[in-house]
Amino acid sequence: METGNGSSGTDFILLGFSDRPQLELIISVFVFIFYIVTLIGNTTIILVSHLDIQLHTPMYFFLSNLSFLDLCYTTSIIPQMLVNLWSPKKSITYGGCVLQFFFALVLGATECLLLAVMAYDRYAAVCQPLHYTVIMHPQLCQKMVLSAWLGGLGSALILCSLTLKLPRCGHREVDNLLCEMPSLIKMACVYSKVFEIVVFALGVIFLLVPLLLILISYGVITQAVMQIKSPARWHKVLNTCGSHLTVVTLFYGTIIYMYMKPQNITSQDEGKFFTLFYTIVTPSLNPLIYTLRNKDVKSAVKRILWIEKCSANL
């Protein structure tokens, strides 16, 4: 099978599952369907959060930012992935690989921090309901989102520059479906202890610390929920917090497994399937998780559709 047909000497070759073309065909259909679901679901959440005035709250401001992140993340990866899956040519230019790698790092790290911000928002809403609007004022929400973006950008600049400086000794084959850090590290022909320490330190800062803050927030929320007497409010808290916890579990579980464990104990095929899960499945599930468990979003969609229908009949 030709994996580098027509590629220049500076191009990288994304091997993926090129030795199993039948599996590639199945995966390409799977990827395409989930990408369409991701586009529709996340775009819907952004539009509904913007159009319905009742959703102009901190929770939906953060949720629309999460949806925007997921849209950017999948769009920076999936079109190139589909091209490679559908074509005998598996190459990606050096510049394209660097951009894909960089944007995946920026958006992934930003999402880690944003999920922690959303946990704090839920803590303020449940544990400080009388002061919620004062605590989570619009300026603070904007600053928190901006800080998450800047943190993601800073970590990506460090990791991207260090990874690309590793000598590859002419190796051009990336044994994965996309250019991501674990696969690019395996291409290096030298071992760098400093690089490993930096990666681990940033992993603690951007993965474990936000996860710890999320767990602390939900520990306090759990104590507060146990004291709620109103069944209706208790059910609403469980719905909104349950949705966020589900997303956190899906995202952090796969990311921590891939990035925090030693790279030499993960089989290549296992790594590829985990990559498919957190780059394709998780972003498509996020809007479904939030809308299916959230009456506010479903009601907002119905109101917008009803208004559109009335406007069309006039």
Side-chain angles (χ1 to χ4, degrees):
M1 169 119 193
E2 292 184 78
T3 56
N5 183 30
S7 64
S8 72
T10 59
D11 288 354
F12 286 149
I13 300 168
L14 297 170
L15 295 178
F17 294 98
S18 55
D19 57 333
R20 282 168 282 180
Q22 292 83 5
L23 179 60
E24 276 198 328
L25 179 60
I26 296 171
I27 289 174
S28 68
V29 174
F30 167 86
V31 170
F32 180 76
I33 293 172
F34 272 84
Y35 184 46
I36 297 300
V37 172
T38 300
L39 292 179
I40 295 172
N42 287 291
T43 302
T44 299
I45 285 183
I46 293 171
L47 291 175
V48 170
S49 299
H50 177 72
L51 294 174
D52 194 284
I53 195 169
Q54 294 186 30
L55 299 186
H56 290 182
T57 63
M59 175 182 170
Y60 293 102
F61 172 70
F62 295 133
L63 181 55
S64 60
N65 273 275
L66 178 65
S67 292
F68 178 70
L69 269 174
D70 285 338
L71 282 175
C72 293
Y73 185 72
T74 52
T75 302
S76 69
I77 291 171
I78 293 182
Q80 178 67 49
M81 185 186 293
L82 287 173
V83 168
N84 287 352
L85 287 171
W86 287 336
S87 169
K89 181 181 176 182
K90 307 298 181 183
S91 64
I92 181 173
T93 64
Y94 177 80
C97 186
V98 171
L99 285 175
Q100 189 181 77
F101 175 44
F102 176 73
F103 283 118
L105 283 176
V106 172
L107 298 166
T110 302
E111 185 159 339
C112 288
L113 298 177
L114 184 60
L115 288 172
V117 168
M118 293 174 73
Y120 177 76
D121 171 66
R122 291 300 82 209
Y123 156 77
V126 175
C127 301
Q128 304 288 337
L130 299 179
H131 305 287
Y132 176 64
T133 55
V134 177
I135 297 172
M136 302 300 294
H137 55 85
Q139 291 80 11
L140 177 63
C141 295
Q142 291 166 8
K143 288 177 181 177
M144 293 172 87
V145 169
L146 179 60
S147 298
W149 277 98
L150 291 176
L153 178 62
S155 69
L157 287 172
I158 295 170
L159 288 175
C160 194
S161 61
L162 289 176
T163 303
L164 295 175
K165 284 180 181 177
L166 293 173
R168 295 185 298 275
C169 302
H171 297 160
R172 296 193 299 123
E173 293 185 345
V174 182
D175 197 5
N176 208 329
L177 294 153
L178 65 142
C179 294
E180 64 167 1
M181 193 169 67
S183 300
L184 294 177
I185 292 173
K186 288 179 179 178
M187 291 175 64
C189 54
V190 297
Y191 170 76
S192 173
K193 184 67 177 178
V194 173
F195 177 78
E196 188 176 285
I197 292 171
V198 171
V199 170
F200 182 80
L202 289 175
V204 170
I205 294 170
F206 286 92
L207 288 174
L208 300 186
V209 171
L211 182 58
L212 178 62
L213 294 174
I214 291 170
L215 294 176
I216 292 172
S217 296
Y218 276 103
V220 178
I221 288 172
T222 301
Q223 289 182 325
V225 167
M226 300 303 291
Q227 300 173 8
I228 293 176
K229 304 299 182 184
S230 169
R233 185 163 179 265
W234 190 80
H235 183 68
K236 184 176 181 179
V237 168
L238 285 184
N239 269 345
T240 55
C241 292
S243 299
H244 183 249
L245 270 177
T246 304
V247 170
V248 166
T249 302
L250 288 172
F251 181 78
Y252 274 97
T254 51
I255 292 291
I256 288 175
Y257 181 82
M258 283 296 295
Y259 282 85
M260 295 301 292
K261 65 182 290 190
Q263 296 301 316
N264 58 355
I265 65 173
T266 304
S267 72
Q268 277 305 115
D269 281 355
E270 180 187 356
K272 291 172 191 177
F273 283 113
F274 268 95
T275 296
L276 282 172
F277 187 84
Y278 69 74
T279 58
I280 297 162
V281 178
T282 302
S284 68
L285 291 180
N286 287 353
L288 295 176
I289 291 168
Y290 278 105
T291 53
L292 290 177
R293 293 177 60 90
N294 195 312
K295 291 182 179 179
D296 293 339
V297 175
K298 289 188 281 188
S299 299
V301 171
K302 290 177 183 177
R303 282 194 298 271
I304 292 171
L305 292 176
W306 183 79
I307 292 171
E308 289 295 323
K309 183 178 179 180
C310 291
S311 300
N313 291 334
L314 291 178

